[in-house]
Amino acid sequence: MTERPDTIPGLGPGPAGSPRPGRGSAARSGSGARGGSGRARGPGAPAPPAAELPVARVAVDTPLTHLDRPFDYLVPADLAAAAVPGSRVRVRFAGRQVDGFVLERRAASEHPGRLAPLARSVSPEPVLSESIARLARTVADRYAGTLADVLRLAVPPRHGRTETTPAPPRTTPAMPEAAPGEPAAAPSPPETSPPETISAEPGEWERYPAGPSMLAALAAGRSPRAVWWAPPGPAWPAMIAAAVGAAVRSGRGAVVVVPDHRDVDRAQAALVDVVGRETTVALRADLGPSRRYGAFLSAARGQARVVVGTRAAVFAPVADLGLLVVWDDGDELHAEPLAPYPHTRDVAVLRARQDGCALLIGGFCPTTEAEALVRGGWAHPLALPLSDVRALAPRVEATGSDHEYARDPAARAARLPSLAVRTARQALAAGAPVLVQVPRRGYQPSLACADCRRPARCRHCQGPLGRSSGAGVLTCQWCGRPVPAAPGGAGGAVGAALWRCPSCSSERLRASVTGDRRTAEELGRAFPGVPVRTSGRDGVLATVPAEPALVISTPGAEPVAVGGYGAVLLLDGWALLGRPDLRAAETTLRRWAAAAALARPAPRGGRVIVSADAGLPVVQALIRWDPATFAAREADERAELGFPPATRMATVEGSAAAVAELLAVTRLPEGADLLGPVLAGGPRAGGPGAVDEIERLLIRVPRERGAALAAALHEARGVLGARRSTAGLRVQLDPLVIG
């Protein structure tokens, strides 16, 4: 006998292909509304329910915000052993089969009607722990997102062959990915380190007044929380490993989250030296499906007590978590580009609160959000004494000082002033490599009229014009159209419709922004006979040898030099400081400090030359190597102006009608401040030469009302979702960029 299908609350008629109520629809968990009952899973009578705990509460993978809640399903007897909490299942939902996770098994449902049965078990492997499920729900609530979106970030896709392998392969950098149809690579030999054999030496932590006491607290099973201003130099991986070793000695696990794969390799090497290879796994996106899922299972099964990885690793299911470490929380890679756009630092704070574990947020320049944790008394500061800073930091000089202007009057206009040239030659003569940081990648990513300095724009879409090489054709950076140019102007081909400035009719062009490839070309001519290496989008170098060479790098791609760089040149400071972004100064200092930290200490001759005005606060912070004072100043200024982290902010982007509709149904909390909406146009993908009428609205509330704002936006998205009105609408809490 089959039961009559009922309607899921919130699902009404829609266009073809949209979710519709139908047979097998689940009952809403905890509600008194009638739920749908499913047909038999196969021909014949329905399967009998499980003898014990016959109800499964399932998190269904649906993008609809108004259905962001668990649903109750009946567990058939033949699936009782496989449908365990945390396992993957398939269920009938809104007339089709969708994926889901079993959150828990119950003896009965609060729903008074009949329940639809589980369609099938995808895998009996419990990949979603109760702790991670609660964390995912908390993250979704904080960012006005859905549980399904967060679970996609927290649990990697299933890899069947890896899951059925009795002993998952170790995720070491040297192990290649097995090809389809070939046997999995053999696991690395065990190199376990029992807690009693892990070194208790504090290392560089001994320089910090509270460093040894923090390690002692971790080893004793306590959970300190700290914001750590790391010392200049290469010591940070070993310091993280020492903290993790202390947590492992207490019998607990640890999770270390870093921005990119190069940082993963450095941190993993240090962790292996302290806690052993068998205890440590790497979890990052570029491992491939098999190795990534194998590393995840190692943690979920309790085989790995220490996980190091990129942003998704913050959800790693490490049992009895004792320590969470977030390195360089200001890096843009810590901001998730997928909905609901959580930030690694904030997820780590939520998890530390939920699980009661220790938290260490570190970097050469932690963010003002990390500073806010210190000011609120939730975390303790860990900073070096001034005497140790002077012993470890390089000597920093600015080209924009009165002394340099008096010595070199052309320094104001020169891209590479004489001070930078002299410093580079001295370092090369001493046999050391020189690092040159360039803010922009490419050759000439932006051009302007040589006469009136008006930016050169594409006549079709108004995008910026640039070129990829010295002989390259002018190309629009938005639509990609080639643009003919006059001979001697920008090196483009001659054609019937040459580029002409709309203001002064000049056909001559000049570079307004110079990229890393053009910089490498210029320095190669200025330093003949010196090897020139580049590290950026076209290829990132991990290390460079201790020999004379010029290393041209974009921010974040700086390779580590063996023994340190003799000199570091930070060019085009105006390009970083002049960005229309609230975090421009903070980001600039973080990028400069990350490069400057690779230089040798001042007692060993290390020098850093920054191309900027010496009187700017951000330049003074770098010269004194005092990021803590700079972060405190930034926090004070933002609090005075009502910007994050003193407040919480949300951005809403979409068509004018969509933004207005969302605003109309949103019940904003008291004290909400609306900024906009304003046009936020960009190139339209659907048609050349046009700009979409996209509007952006900012909503600002006091920090204590941030949860109310998130709840209001979640509710409003649910209302629009039921109306099918959310297409093209983007809602983001705590955006990284506020331009």
Side-chain angles (χ1 to χ4, degrees):
M1 179 178 114
T2 60
E3 295 89 7
R4 176 182 175 184
D6 295 307
T7 303
I8 299 177
L11 277 182
S18 63
R20 291 175 179 268
R23 297 180 185 272
S25 298
R28 176 178 175 177
S29 173
S31 72
R34 279 189 60 83
S37 56
R39 293 185 300 179
R41 293 163 57 248
E52 295 182 3
L53 303 176
V55 176
R57 178 155 287 188
V58 178
V60 180
D61 187 1
T62 172
L64 302 175
T65 307
H66 63 292
L67 297 178
D68 182 27
R69 55 183 178 267
F71 292 86
D72 289 348
Y73 284 84
L74 193 67
V75 181
D78 57 345
L79 298 182
V84 297
S87 64
R88 305 176 198 256
V89 292
R90 295 277 288 179
V91 297
R92 192 76 176 171
F93 187 82
R96 59 192 180 93
Q97 284 197 8
V98 298
D99 294 319
F101 292 97
V102 177
L103 297 179
E104 60 177 320
R105 292 274 296 272
R106 292 184 166 191
S109 173
E110 298 173 0
H111 172 63
R114 295 183 178 180
L115 301 178
L118 299 176
R120 67 183 179 92
S121 170
V122 176
S123 167
E125 186 78 34
V127 292
L128 179 63
S129 66
E130 179 184 357
S131 173
I132 298 302
R134 285 190 288 114
L135 175 64
R137 181 70 267 170
T138 304
V139 171
D141 292 342
R142 175 181 174 82
Y143 288 97
T146 64
L147 178 63
D149 284 339
V150 180
L151 291 180
R152 291 190 199 102
L153 306 176
V155 183
R158 180 175 180 263
H159 192 273
R161 184 166 58 88
T162 302
E163 189 174 276
T164 56
T165 302
R170 296 265 64 85
T171 55
T172 57
M175 191 186 75
E177 175 76 25
E182 296 183 0
S188 303
E191 295 183 18
T192 56
S193 294
E196 60 272 12
T197 65
I198 296 176
S199 172
E201 292 296 325
E204 289 294 316
W205 285 113
E206 199 166 13
R207 294 179 179 270
Y208 288 76
S213 61
M214 183 198 69
L215 298 182
L218 289 171
R222 298 195 296 273
S223 300
R225 300 181 296 264
V227 174
W228 162 45
W229 282 266
W236 67 265
M239 296 180 71
I240 290 177
V244 170
V248 173
R249 287 202 308 275
S250 69
R252 300 177 294 172
V255 172
V256 179
V257 190
V258 296
D260 59 34
H261 69 279
R262 295 182 303 132
D263 293 327
V264 171
D265 292 339
R266 296 179 64 187
Q268 185 182 13
L271 289 167
V272 166
D273 289 341
V274 175
V275 299
R277 187 178 305 278
E278 191 69 14
T279 307
T280 308
V281 294
L283 187 61
R284 65 193 201 199
D286 64 334
L287 289 175
S290 176
R291 289 175 59 192
R292 183 187 179 196
Y293 194 58
F296 178 85
L297 289 180
S298 295
R301 294 171 177 175
Q303 296 168 335
R305 304 299 306 278
V306 178
V307 173
V308 55
T310 48
R311 56 178 176 260
V314 73
F315 295 101
V318 174
D320 193 14
L321 183 63
L323 174 63
L324 258 171
V325 181
V326 178
W327 169 254
D328 197 6
D329 71 305
D331 195 295
E332 295 88 346
L333 295 177
H334 279 305
E336 177 59 55
L338 302 177
Y341 320 107
H343 194 282
T344 301
R345 175 196 56 250
D346 297 335
V347 177
V349 170
L350 294 175
R351 188 171 185 183
R353 285 173 173 165
Q354 171 187 290
D355 296 348
C357 65
L359 177 64
L360 181 63
I361 299 176
F364 298 117
C365 299
T367 59
T368 52
E369 283 78 8
E371 166 71 14
L373 297 176
V374 175
R375 292 191 169 197
W378 195 79
H380 297 282
L382 290 174
L384 270 179
L386 183 59
S387 58
D388 291 284
V389 170
R390 290 173 176 168
L392 298 174
R395 178 185 175 187
V396 182
E397 299 177 73
T399 60
S401 64
D402 294 338
H403 173 73
E404 283 301 316
Y405 288 153
R407 182 171 183 173
D408 181 10
R412 294 182 184 273
R415 182 165 183 259
L416 196 66
S418 60
L419 174 62
V421 175
R422 294 196 311 269
T423 302
R425 285 176 176 166
Q426 292 170 4
L428 294 171
V434 175
L435 175 65
V436 182
Q437 186 193 76
V438 183
R440 304 289 179 87
R441 61 192 181 192
Y443 191 80
Q444 289 177 341
S446 180
L447 296 162
C449 174
D451 294 335
C452 69
R453 300 299 194 266
R454 175 171 176 162
R457 296 287 181 177
C458 172
R459 64 169 61 95
H460 299 282
C461 70
Q462 296 303 306
L465 297 182
R467 60 176 179 171
S468 58
S469 65
V473 177
L474 278 177
T475 305
C476 175
Q477 305 297 295
W478 283 1
C479 68
R481 291 170 178 262
V483 180
V494 179
L498 300 178
W499 178 89
R500 191 181 301 274
C501 178
S503 296
C504 66
S505 299
S506 173
E507 295 179 349
R508 299 189 308 121
L509 288 165
R510 68 185 297 273
S512 56
V513 175
T514 302
D516 59 336
R517 291 202 296 270
R518 173 65 177 176
T519 302
E521 184 179 290
E522 293 174 349
L523 291 176
R525 292 195 296 264
F527 295 88
V530 178
V532 178
R533 300 183 175 93
T534 59
S535 181
R537 180 177 60 178
D538 298 332
V540 178
L541 303 176
T543 60
V544 293
E547 58 186 28
L550 291 169
V551 181
I552 318 300
S553 171
T554 51
E558 300 90 352
V560 178
V562 178
Y565 289 98
V568 174
L569 310 182
L570 307 173
L571 302 185
D572 300 339
W574 58 268
L576 290 173
L577 293 170
R579 295 182 307 140
D581 181 14
L582 175 68
R583 303 177 187 272
E586 177 186 280
T587 302
T588 299
L589 180 59
R590 187 189 64 80
R591 290 178 172 177
W592 282 349
L598 301 176
R600 297 172 179 176
R604 292 177 48 202
R607 298 181 67 186
V608 175
I609 308 300
V610 54
S611 178
D613 187 349
L616 295 175
V618 62
V619 178
Q620 284 298 311
L622 182 67
I623 291 174
R624 299 192 307 269
W625 202 275
D626 188 13
T629 300
F630 177 82
R633 175 177 177 152
E634 279 283 299
D636 290 338
E637 292 180 352
R638 293 190 197 176
E640 184 177 352
L641 297 173
F643 285 112
T647 59
R648 288 199 66 190
M649 191 170 285
T651 61
V652 179
E653 290 187 358
S655 65
V659 172
E661 187 177 9
L662 179 75
L663 193 58
V665 300
T666 304
R667 295 183 292 181
L668 293 173
E670 183 181 355
D673 185 17
L674 301 182
L675 306 177
V678 297
L679 287 178
R684 187 169 66 183
V691 176
D692 278 337
E693 293 295 320
I694 301 297
E695 287 191 346
R696 181 175 67 242
L697 172 70
L698 297 179
I699 306 175
R700 178 172 58 186
V701 297
R703 191 157 193 85
E704 60 272 14
R705 296 193 179 98
L709 174 62
L713 290 173
H714 184 276
E715 180 184 6
R717 290 183 62 200
V719 172
L720 297 188
R723 300 177 183 174
R724 321 269 189 214
S725 301
T726 57
L729 193 65
R730 175 188 171 109
V731 179
Q732 185 175 3
L733 270 292
D734 302 325
L736 185 66
V737 177
I738 304 175

